[in-house]
Amino acid sequence: MLRIIVHGGAGDIKSEEVPIRVDVCKKACSAGFSALKSGKSSIDAVVEAVKVLEDHPLFNAGRGSYLNEEGNVEMDAGIMDGSTLNMGAVSAVTCVKSPVELARFVMGKSEHNFLTGKGAEAFAKEIGMQFEPLQYFLTERTVKLYRKTQFGDTVGAVALDEAGKIAVAVSTGGVPFKHVGRVGDSPLIGSGFYANDSFGAVATGIGEDIMRLVLSVRIGFYLERMDLDKAVTQAIKDLDVINGKAGLIALDKMGNISFHYNTKGMLYAYMREDLRECVGGI
Ligand code: ASP
């Protein structure tokens, strides 16, 4: 059974940008699904999917990441292999082209789970990763958004491969005009992402809210007494206690796919073998 779901952020998405954003989410979904179809693992699939979105200037991850208060990018990413519970995460990286790939290498090639800032970049250098100057990450859009308070356009993916293994990945530039050193939920296990042998989930929205509820792992607790869709719905409902704003994408080992949000919208795309092409929307 092959499954993948990706998201391109939750929030108030400008209506004229919706078609192009949905289209790119579908492309990312389709890149991940092709990886699964060619026999690659769910980890490969989520990295392939997230990289498409990191490379696209319209999304707040990799190129196109929002700028912090000093006008620099500080990017966060996380990845988890549900079959082994191995994880990798990075925060506050400024010049690594693909933060999600770096998170994957932290998981696979370092002795640690989470590297931050300069240390993460030194590790990236040691293993020969691609670096880009600040100019590469800046776009007209993010320069315009400097000093604006908003969230959105973060990216993530959850996949199930032929061997029944679930993996998740997330990548973000955080929120515009953030304090230097601010880290959101995205690279935090349990909050921005979680996977085990029965489900995988990725969150997007206001990081400060998501981490207070440890939103992604909550689905696992609810799954003990309800199905996936109800579990995701309940996790989103839990945000009401703190008036939090977020969205979740998830899938389980039976191949069920679910996504819910309490923001104005959330961009998504998913794919299963019985579909002719990725289904995407907002
Ligand atoms: N959750 C991300 C953060 O707070 C932002 C987002 O999902 O748009 O860094």
Side-chain angles (χ1 to χ4, degrees):
M1 201 164 19
L2 307 178
R3 300 282 187 272
I4 186 160
I5 177 162
V6 310
H7 78 75
D12 187 3
I13 300 133
K14 270 200 207 146
S15 58
E16 69 271 21
E17 287 180 352
V18 167
I20 166 113
R21 284 169 183 270
V22 170
D23 199 50
V24 184
C25 284
K26 282 181 172 176
K27 283 199 176 94
C29 177
S30 148
F33 197 73
S34 300
L36 292 173
K37 259 178 54 187
S38 67
K40 290 190 179 171
S41 68
S42 50
I43 280 282
D44 288 323
V46 290
V47 171
E48 300 274 319
V50 167
K51 274 172 72 173
V52 169
L53 297 161
E54 280 184 338
D55 290 349
H56 198 285
L58 262 187
F59 292 87
N60 171 27
R63 183 157 184 240
S65 285
Y66 292 154
L67 308 181
N68 69 10
E69 60 185 359
E70 288 183 343
N72 292 318
V73 295
E74 285 190 321
M75 302 172 287
D76 307 329
I79 193 161
M80 187 162 188
D81 179 344
S83 66
T84 56
L85 300 184
N86 286 335
M87 63 151 288
V90 294
S91 66
V93 295
T94 59
C95 44
V96 174
K97 186 180 182 212
S98 172
V100 76
E101 208 162 19
L102 179 55
R104 184 193 186 155
F105 286 133
V106 169
M107 174 171 78
K109 288 185 193 267
S110 84
E111 288 166 16
H112 308 293
N113 288 351
F114 197 147
L115 292 176
T116 191
K118 284 194 175 65
E121 278 156 11
F123 173 71
K125 216 168 255 167
E126 276 165 38
I127 58 168
M129 288 196 70
Q130 192 173 343
F131 282 72
E132 296 292 345
L134 176 61
Q135 223 45 42
Y136 164 84
F137 297 98
L138 300 183
T139 65
E140 208 178 303
R141 179 170 173 271
T142 56
V143 171
K144 254 193 221 151
L145 279 170
Y146 184 59
R147 289 185 188 280
K148 295 264 158 53
T149 312
Q150 69 156 52
F151 60 97
D153 318 318
T154 287
V155 309
V158 188
L160 172 69
D161 63 23
E162 205 55 76
K165 295 177 177 177
I166 299 169
V168 296
V170 52
S171 186
T172 186
V175 291
F177 209 57
K178 62 186 179 183
H179 200 288
V180 173
R182 180 266 187 191
V183 177
D185 62 298
S186 302
L188 301 184
I189 185 169
S191 295
F193 64 92
Y194 196 77
N196 58 22
D197 55 5
S198 61
F199 85 103
V202 169
T204 179
I206 300 178
E208 283 69 12
D209 297 342
I210 296 168
M211 68 174 87
R212 285 166 75 196
L213 291 184
V214 209
L215 198 62
S216 294
V217 77
R218 246 167 211 260
I219 294 173
F221 304 140
Y222 288 129
L223 269 182
E224 285 169 18
R225 20 193 182 101
M226 53 185 92
D227 67 24
L228 182 75
D229 201 54
K230 288 204 177 82
V232 176
T233 307
Q234 184 56 50
I236 292 294
K237 217 165 177 204
D238 291 351
L239 286 159
D240 292 348
V241 183
I242 57 166
N243 202 17
K245 291 282 170 220
L248 280 164
I249 56 169
L251 57 75
D252 67 16
K253 64 178 176 202
M254 273 90 74
N256 297 305
I257 290 175
S258 176
F259 57 93
H260 288 283
Y261 49 89
N262 66 2
T263 49
K264 283 201 178 141
M266 179 175 75
L267 288 152
Y268 67 87
Y270 63 83
M271 183 64 183
R272 306 186 298 251
E273 300 97 324
D274 60 309
L275 296 171
R276 270 170 34 124
E277 56 178 51
C278 297
V279 175
I282 182 166

